[in-house]
Amino acid sequence: SLGNDGVHILDPFSGTGTFISRLLQSGIMSKDQIRRKFKSEIHANEVVLLAYYIACINIEAVYDDLVKENQYQSFDGMVLTDTFQLYEQDRDMIANLLPDNSQRRTKQKNRDITVVIGNPPYSVGQKSENDNAANIQYKNLDNSIAKTYGAASNAVRQVGLFDSYIRAFRWASERIGNNGVVGFITNGAWIDRGFADGMR
Protein backbone atom coordinates (compact mmCIF):
# COMPACT_ATOMS: atom_id res chain seq x y z
CA SER A 1 0.00 0.00 0.00
CA LEU A 2 1.04 3.64 -0.04
CA GLY A 3 2.15 3.30 3.56
CA ASN A 4 4.45 0.34 2.97
CA ASP A 5 8.17 0.66 3.61
CA GLY A 6 10.08 1.51 0.45
CA VAL A 7 7.12 2.90 -1.50
CA HIS A 8 8.36 6.32 -2.62
CA ILE A 9 5.64 8.79 -3.60
CA LEU A 10 6.22 11.82 -5.84
CA ASP A 11 4.00 14.77 -6.69
CA PRO A 12 5.96 16.31 -9.58
CA PHE A 13 3.68 19.37 -9.93
CA SER A 14 2.94 20.08 -6.29
CA GLY A 15 1.50 23.57 -6.45
CA THR A 16 0.63 24.43 -2.85
CA GLY A 17 1.06 20.86 -1.61
CA THR A 18 -2.60 19.84 -1.56
CA PHE A 19 -2.13 16.26 -2.79
CA ILE A 20 0.62 15.43 -0.28
CA SER A 21 -1.25 17.15 2.55
CA ARG A 22 -4.46 15.22 1.81
CA LEU A 23 -2.50 11.98 1.48
CA LEU A 24 -1.12 12.47 4.99
CA GLN A 25 -4.63 13.31 6.29
CA SER A 26 -6.36 10.43 4.48
CA GLY A 27 -6.22 7.99 7.39
CA ILE A 28 -4.74 5.19 5.27
CA MET A 29 -1.38 5.37 7.06
CA SER A 30 -0.46 4.85 10.70
CA LYS A 31 1.39 7.54 12.64
CA ASP A 32 4.65 5.60 12.27
CA GLN A 33 4.12 5.27 8.51
CA ILE A 34 3.37 8.99 8.24
CA ARG A 35 6.54 9.76 10.15
CA ARG A 36 8.67 7.58 7.85
CA LYS A 37 7.01 8.86 4.67
CA PHE A 38 7.43 12.50 5.69
CA LYS A 39 11.11 12.06 6.52
CA SER A 40 12.27 10.02 3.54
CA GLU A 41 9.61 8.57 1.20
CA ILE A 42 7.44 11.49 0.06
CA HIS A 43 8.81 13.84 -2.59
CA ALA A 44 7.37 16.91 -4.29
CA ASN A 45 8.49 19.37 -6.96
CA GLU A 46 7.32 22.89 -7.71
CA VAL A 47 8.69 25.45 -10.16
CA VAL A 48 6.93 28.59 -8.81
CA LEU A 49 8.78 30.00 -5.80
CA LEU A 50 5.75 31.26 -3.85
CA ALA A 51 3.83 28.01 -4.36
CA TYR A 52 6.96 26.09 -3.29
CA TYR A 53 7.09 27.89 0.06
CA ILE A 54 3.33 27.55 0.61
CA ALA A 55 3.53 23.82 -0.15
CA CYS A 56 6.32 23.35 2.40
CA ILE A 57 4.34 25.19 5.06
CA ASN A 58 1.11 23.30 4.29
CA ILE A 59 2.78 19.86 4.36
CA GLU A 60 4.76 20.67 7.50
CA ALA A 61 1.66 22.01 9.28
CA VAL A 62 -0.37 18.90 8.44
CA TYR A 63 2.47 16.65 9.62
CA ASP A 64 2.83 18.63 12.85
CA ASP A 65 -0.91 18.38 13.48
CA LEU A 66 -1.01 14.61 12.87
CA VAL A 67 2.19 13.44 14.55
CA LYS A 68 2.43 16.06 17.30
CA GLU A 69 6.18 15.90 17.82
CA ASN A 70 7.72 18.27 20.34
CA GLN A 71 9.68 20.14 17.69
CA TYR A 72 8.53 21.53 14.33
CA GLN A 73 9.91 19.42 11.47
CA SER A 74 10.86 20.81 8.07
CA PHE A 75 9.81 18.89 4.97
CA ASP A 76 13.00 17.97 3.15
CA GLY A 77 11.27 16.16 0.27
CA MET A 78 10.37 19.42 -1.50
CA VAL A 79 12.46 20.52 -4.51
CA LEU A 80 12.29 23.84 -6.33
CA THR A 81 12.58 22.67 -9.94
CA ASP A 82 10.92 22.30 -13.31
CA THR A 83 10.09 18.58 -13.23
CA PHE A 84 10.28 18.21 -17.01
CA GLN A 85 13.78 19.71 -16.93
CA LEU A 86 15.14 17.14 -14.43
CA TYR A 87 16.34 14.69 -17.06
CA GLU A 88 17.11 17.17 -19.81
CA GLN A 89 20.53 17.96 -18.38
CA ASP A 90 22.66 16.56 -15.56
CA ARG A 91 23.87 19.93 -14.33
CA ASP A 92 21.61 21.90 -11.98
CA MET A 93 21.74 25.49 -13.26
CA ILE A 94 21.04 26.99 -9.80
CA ALA A 95 23.24 24.62 -7.76
CA ASN A 96 25.53 27.43 -6.64
CA LEU A 97 22.64 29.62 -5.52
CA LEU A 98 20.65 26.88 -3.75
CA PRO A 99 23.03 24.06 -2.75
CA ASP A 100 20.54 22.39 -0.36
CA ASN A 101 17.90 22.34 -3.08
CA SER A 102 20.44 20.88 -5.52
CA GLN A 103 21.27 18.09 -3.07
CA ARG A 104 17.58 17.24 -2.62
CA ARG A 105 17.16 17.28 -6.41
CA THR A 106 20.05 14.82 -6.87
CA LYS A 107 18.78 12.61 -4.05
CA GLN A 108 15.28 12.49 -5.56
CA LYS A 109 16.64 11.58 -8.99
CA ASN A 110 18.40 8.57 -7.42
CA ARG A 111 15.25 7.30 -5.66
CA ASP A 112 13.20 4.41 -6.93
CA ILE A 113 9.88 6.23 -7.31
CA THR A 114 6.91 3.83 -7.48
CA VAL A 115 3.94 6.21 -7.15
CA VAL A 116 3.46 9.46 -9.09
CA ILE A 117 0.36 11.48 -8.21
CA GLY A 118 -0.91 14.97 -8.83
CA ASN A 119 -2.52 17.51 -11.09
CA PRO A 120 -0.23 18.20 -14.05
CA PRO A 121 -0.25 21.54 -15.86
CA TYR A 122 -2.26 22.00 -19.05
CA SER A 123 -0.73 23.95 -21.91
CA VAL A 124 -0.18 23.37 -25.59
CA GLY A 125 1.52 26.78 -25.76
CA GLN A 126 0.67 30.11 -27.22
CA LYS A 127 -2.11 30.68 -29.73
CA SER A 128 -0.45 33.80 -31.16
CA GLU A 129 2.79 35.75 -30.77
CA ASN A 130 0.98 38.14 -28.38
CA ASP A 131 0.11 35.46 -25.80
CA ASN A 132 3.54 35.42 -24.13
CA ALA A 133 3.06 31.68 -23.45
CA ALA A 134 5.54 30.11 -25.82
CA ASN A 135 6.19 26.40 -25.58
CA ILE A 136 9.28 25.44 -23.63
CA GLN A 137 11.30 22.82 -25.45
CA TYR A 138 12.18 19.62 -23.60
CA LYS A 139 14.28 17.81 -26.17
CA ASN A 140 14.63 14.42 -24.44
CA LEU A 141 11.02 14.25 -23.26
CA ASP A 142 9.60 15.42 -26.59
CA ASN A 143 11.76 12.90 -28.48
CA SER A 144 10.40 10.18 -26.20
CA ILE A 145 6.82 11.27 -26.95
CA ALA A 146 7.53 11.26 -30.69
CA LYS A 147 9.08 7.75 -30.52
CA THR A 148 6.23 6.28 -28.46
CA TYR A 149 2.87 8.09 -28.63
CA GLY A 150 3.66 9.77 -31.95
CA ALA A 151 5.05 6.68 -33.68
CA ALA A 152 2.00 4.63 -32.70
CA SER A 153 -0.44 7.31 -33.89
CA ASN A 154 -2.42 7.55 -37.12
CA ALA A 155 -3.13 11.24 -36.51
CA VAL A 156 -1.78 13.71 -39.06
CA ARG A 157 -1.68 16.62 -36.63
CA GLN A 158 0.14 15.59 -33.45
CA VAL A 159 0.72 18.95 -31.75
CA GLY A 160 -1.72 17.93 -28.98
CA LEU A 161 0.72 15.22 -27.89
CA PHE A 162 3.02 17.95 -26.60
CA ASP A 163 0.46 19.41 -24.21
CA SER A 164 1.96 19.61 -20.72
CA TYR A 165 -0.40 17.03 -19.27
CA ILE A 166 0.52 14.51 -22.02
CA ARG A 167 4.16 15.27 -21.32
CA ALA A 168 3.40 14.57 -17.66
CA PHE A 169 2.06 11.10 -18.51
CA ARG A 170 5.16 10.30 -20.60
CA TRP A 171 7.52 11.69 -17.94
CA ALA A 172 5.79 9.78 -15.12
CA SER A 173 5.68 6.55 -17.14
CA GLU A 174 9.41 6.74 -17.69
CA ARG A 175 10.04 7.71 -14.07
CA ILE A 176 8.31 4.64 -12.60
CA GLY A 177 9.66 2.29 -15.28
CA ASN A 178 7.99 -1.12 -15.22
CA ASN A 179 6.90 -1.03 -11.59
CA GLY A 180 4.54 1.57 -10.23
CA VAL A 181 1.37 3.60 -10.45
CA VAL A 182 0.56 6.96 -12.04
CA GLY A 183 -2.51 8.82 -10.79
CA PHE A 184 -3.21 12.19 -12.42
CA ILE A 185 -6.20 14.48 -12.61
CA THR A 186 -6.52 15.43 -16.29
CA ASN A 187 -9.10 16.27 -18.87
CA GLY A 188 -10.48 13.38 -20.92
CA ALA A 189 -9.32 14.41 -24.39
CA TRP A 190 -6.65 11.70 -24.50
CA ILE A 191 -9.30 9.00 -23.97
CA ASP A 192 -11.24 9.53 -27.18
CA ARG A 193 -9.63 12.25 -29.35
CA GLY A 194 -7.80 11.28 -32.54
CA PHE A 195 -4.50 12.98 -31.70
CA ALA A 196 -3.94 10.64 -28.73
CA ASP A 197 -4.61 7.27 -30.41
CA GLY A 198 -0.91 6.42 -30.11
CA MET A 199 -0.93 7.27 -26.41
CA ARG A 200 -3.90 4.97 -25.80
Side-chain angles (χ1 to χ4, degrees):
S1 77
L2 292 175
N4 283 9
D5 193 8
V7 175
H8 286 264
I9 302 165
L10 170 65
D11 182 350
F13 317 101
S14 189
T16 56
T18 303
F19 275 78
I20 300 299
S21 298
R22 296 300 173 260
L23 172 65
L24 295 174
Q25 293 173 324
S26 67
I28 62 174
M29 291 185 278
S30 68
K31 200 175 273 194
D32 286 339
Q33 288 174 324
I34 290 171
R35 190 176 286 114
R36 186 182 67 250
K37 292 291 171 193
F38 180 85
K39 292 184 177 175
S40 64
E41 294 181 359
I42 289 180
H43 315 277
N45 299 338
E46 179 50 46
V47 69
V48 177
L49 187 60
L50 180 59
Y52 165 86
Y53 282 117
I54 293 170
C56 287
I57 292 166
N58 284 341
I59 294 165
E60 290 163 359
V62 166
Y63 177 78
D64 189 59
D65 183 54
L66 293 170
V67 178
K68 297 184 177 19
E69 292 184 342
N70 293 330
Q71 187 175 357
Y72 194 83
Q73 301 290 320
S74 65
F75 177 53
D76 295 330
M78 195 80 197
V79 179
L80 179 65
T81 190
D82 176 352
T83 295
F84 294 147
Q85 199 63 256
L86 278 175
Y87 296 95
E88 294 296 314
Q89 58 197 31
D90 289 330
R91 190 166 157 258
D92 182 359
M93 302 305 275
I94 58 171
N96 294 338
L97 297 171
L98 302 168
D100 290 346
N101 188 72
S102 185
Q103 288 174 356
R104 290 194 306 271
R105 180 182 184 268
T106 301
K107 194 186 230 181
Q108 184 194 108
K109 283 177 74 173
N110 293 327
R111 295 283 188 203
D112 182 20
I113 301 294
T114 47
V115 178
V116 179
I117 59 171
N119 186 3
Y122 300 77
S123 171
V124 160
Q126 65 186 25
K127 307 289 185 229
S128 76
E129 291 301 319
N130 298 325
D131 283 354
N132 196 23
N135 282 341
I136 297 173
Q137 298 297 315
Y138 300 102
K139 186 178 177 187
N140 295 336
L141 180 57
D142 290 348
N143 283 341
S144 177
I145 290 170
K147 289 178 183 174
T148 55
Y149 303 160
S153 178
N154 293 316
V156 175
R157 187 164 155 76
Q158 296 185 356
V159 69
L161 289 176
F162 300 94
D163 188 301
S164 294
Y165 85 96
I166 303 285
R167 281 176 168 160
F169 272 108
R170 184 72 245 158
W171 185 91
S173 298
E174 291 181 2
R175 188 63 180 89
I176 63 169
N178 294 322
N179 183 29
V181 176
V182 175
F184 283 150
I185 291 179
T186 68
N187 68 41
W190 65 274
I191 296 171
D192 54 15
R193 299 270 302 276
F195 77 89
D197 61 344
M199 179 185 176
R200 293 192 295 275

